[in-house]
Amino acid sequence: MPAKIAINGYGTIGKRVADAISLQDDMEVVGVSKMSPNFEARLAIEKGYPLYATTKDVLPKFEQAGIKVHGTLDGLLEDADLVVDATPEESGFKPAYEKAGVKAIWQGGEEHSLTNLSFNAAANYAECLGAKFVRVPSCNTTGLIRTLYPLDVHFGIERVLAVMVRRATDPGDSKRGPINAIEPELEMPSHHGPDVQSVLPKLNIHTIAVKVPTTIMHLHAVSAVLKRKASVTEILDAWRRATRLKFVRGAEGVKSTAQIMEIARDLGRPRSDLYEIAVWDDGVHIVDGTQLYYFQAVHQESDVVPENVDAIRAMLKLETNGRKSIEKTNRALGIGG
Ligand code: NAD
C-alpha cells in the first residue's frame, strides 16, 4: 500500500511536491488543503487531488466560490501518514500535527529550531530515518549543500564564502520586488550560512546576499578554500559522482540564467522546472591548488522538490538506503546522473 501523504499549502512548493509524489509508486497524495478558493484550488480539483479547506472558518469562502471541498485539514490529517507543510513561514500548524499524531515536513521558510532536524538527501538521509518532524531547508541552502557536501567529502573544506544573488520573487507573484533596485541583505552573515550548518554543522561558511530584479533563478558565486589540493578535473569528477547537478557551459552559449531556463523549457519537464543545481563547468577555477571559485544557479521553485520526496521516504522508512531513494526519485522525475 502506498504511504498516504497530505499537503498543507498548495502554492508554489506544495503543488510541485504533490505532483512529484504522484509520480512515485510507494506514496500517494490523499488530499491537499488550502486557505483560499483561488485558481490553484480549482486546478487541484482538475488534477484529481481531494481538496480540503485548511480551517472551518474559510469553509464559507469555498462554498461561495462554488468550489467543493471534502472537509477540513483536521479530517485530512486523520487519513494521512505524513503531511508536507508548504504554507508560508510561521503558519503554526505544529500543534495540529502533534494532536493528529502525524509526521510532518516543513519548508525552508521555517527555522531549524522548529524540528531540530534539517534534511538533504545526499548529506544526511540516514539521520532522518524514522524521524517525526523534519525541515527541508530553503532553495538557496539546498543549492549550496548540493555542491559543497561532495567537495567536503572528497577534498575537505577549510572555509567558504558564498555570495548569493537572489531573485526578487517567484514568476507567479506580482506583489513583491524590487523591480528597479538592488537590495543588499545587511545582516551578516545572511541567514543562508547558518542554514547550511543546520545540515553540515562543521562547515566553516560565510554568506552574503543581495536581491535583484529577476524572478527566474538565484545565482551563487562561491569561493572555497580546500584542505587538499585538487585540479578542476578532479572537482568536476567529484560533482559528476554526486547527484542533482546539471553542468552548463558558457562556451556553448549559456551565458546567464536566461539560457539555463531555456534548457529547462527544452527538457520538457512539468512547469519547465529544473530540479538540479546548474553549475558552469567552464566557470570553475582553481588557484594554487586549493582556492576554488565557481558559479551555480538555483531554480528556486523546484530544487527542493526531490528532497521532499526523499525526506518522506526516510521518515516513513519506505527505503532505508539514501542512495537508493535518490535514484528512485530521480528516475521518477526524469533527473539524470
Ligand atoms: P506560496 O505563497 O506560493 O504558497 C503558500 C500556500 O499556503 C498557498 O496555497 C496559500 O493559500 C496557503 N496559505 C497562505 N497562508 C496560509 C496560512 N496562514 N495557513 C495555511 N495556509 C496558508 O508559498 P511558497 O513559495 O510555496 O512557500 C511555502 C514554503 O516553502 C515557505 O516556507 C517558503 O519559504 C518555502 N520555499 C519557497 C520557495 C520558493 O521559491 N517559492 C523555495 C523553497 C522553499
Side-chain angles (χ1 to χ4, degrees):
M1 275 262 289
K4 295 176 175 176
I5 314 300
I7 309 283
N8 181 18
Y10 189 77
T12 307
I13 299 298
K15 62 190 178 186
R16 286 174 165 80
V17 172
D19 289 355
I21 290 169
S22 303
L23 293 171
Q24 315 300 316
D25 60 15
D26 52 353
M27 56 188 84
E28 65 179 352
V29 176
V30 288
V32 307
S33 78
K34 276 203 62 69
M35 284 290 272
S36 52
N38 67 359
F39 66 96
E40 281 165 330
R42 277 196 200 282
L43 286 171
I45 293 173
E46 278 177 31
K47 283 195 170 225
Y49 297 130
L51 181 70
Y52 290 75
T54 312
T55 53
K56 274 199 187 105
D57 52 314
V58 299
L59 275 170
K61 285 204 262 177
F62 283 85
E63 267 167 38
Q64 275 163 24
I67 294 182
K68 204 171 150 24
V69 294
H70 289 246
T72 57
L73 176 65
D74 288 348
L76 171 59
L77 294 180
E78 279 172 24
D79 281 346
D81 299 314
L82 183 149
V83 55
V84 176
D85 184 312
T87 62
E89 63 193 65
E90 294 176 12
S91 292
F93 288 96
K94 193 175 185 184
Y97 304 153
E98 277 170 336
K99 192 170 159 217
V102 69
K103 295 191 177 200
I105 297 175
W106 282 269
Q107 309 304 312
E110 306 291 345
E111 297 287 330
H112 172 70
S113 57
L114 183 73
T115 58
N116 286 318
L117 198 51
S118 293
F119 179 87
N120 175 271
N124 70 345
Y125 189 95
E127 266 177 61
C128 299
L129 279 176
K132 188 161 189 228
F133 294 146
V134 160
R135 181 186 76 122
V136 170
S138 75
C139 46
N140 275 306
T141 304
T142 297
L144 287 170
I145 295 170
R146 289 256 182 92
T147 46
L148 291 173
Y149 176 68
L151 292 179
D152 201 26
V153 168
H154 287 95
F155 311 105
I157 291 180
E158 195 67 50
R159 62 179 179 277
V160 180
L161 171 65
V163 179
M164 268 151 312
V165 183
R166 299 174 60 200
R167 60 93 176 101
T169 188
D170 291 330
D173 177 25
S174 52
K175 275 195 289 197
R176 277 177 287 188
I179 56 170
N180 187 21
I182 298 174
E183 189 180 299
E185 189 169 315
L186 300 177
E187 192 186 328
M188 206 54 82
S190 69
H191 69 275
H192 309 92
D195 209 30
V196 169
Q197 288 164 335
S198 72
V199 175
L200 304 175
K202 292 190 188 135
L203 191 75
N204 179 4
I205 179 168
H206 185 94
T207 50
I208 295 174
V210 293
K211 220 192 263 183
V212 298
T214 183
T215 63
I216 52 179
M217 294 191 103
H218 303 294
L219 182 133
H220 299 167
V222 185
S223 160
V225 178
L226 305 175
K227 288 185 177 159
R228 197 167 68 69
K229 284 194 172 185
S231 65
V232 168
T233 309
E234 286 172 311
I235 299 284
L236 291 173
D237 282 348
W239 280 336
R240 284 200 181 95
R241 290 199 294 277
T243 190
R244 297 176 185 160
L245 300 177
K246 183 154 205 75
F247 294 99
V248 295
R249 192 163 279 187
E252 291 178 358
V254 185
K255 300 288 186 197
S256 74
T257 52
Q259 290 82 42
I260 295 175
M261 280 290 95
E262 185 68 6
I263 292 171
R265 285 191 285 274
D266 288 343
L267 286 172
R269 300 236 183 100
R271 301 184 179 88
S272 306
D273 283 344
L274 190 71
Y275 306 114
E276 301 94 325
I277 303 306
V279 181
W280 274 273
D281 65 6
D282 49 359
V284 180
H285 301 278
I286 285 272
V287 178
D288 296 335
T290 55
Q291 171 65 65
L292 167 69
Y293 301 102
Y294 64 95
F295 295 96
Q296 62 180 27
V298 174
H299 185 226
Q300 77 277 356
E301 297 176 288
S302 69
D303 69 327
V304 298
V305 170
E307 306 295 334
N308 272 271
V309 172
D310 289 326
I312 293 170
R313 247 186 227 115
M315 292 166 73
L316 296 177
K317 293 192 177 167
L318 303 177
E319 171 58 67
T320 53
N321 181 315
R323 176 53 58 183
K324 283 190 184 160
S325 177
I326 291 171
E327 283 168 10
K328 191 172 169 71
T329 307
N330 286 0
R331 255 195 321 276
L333 296 183
I335 301 171

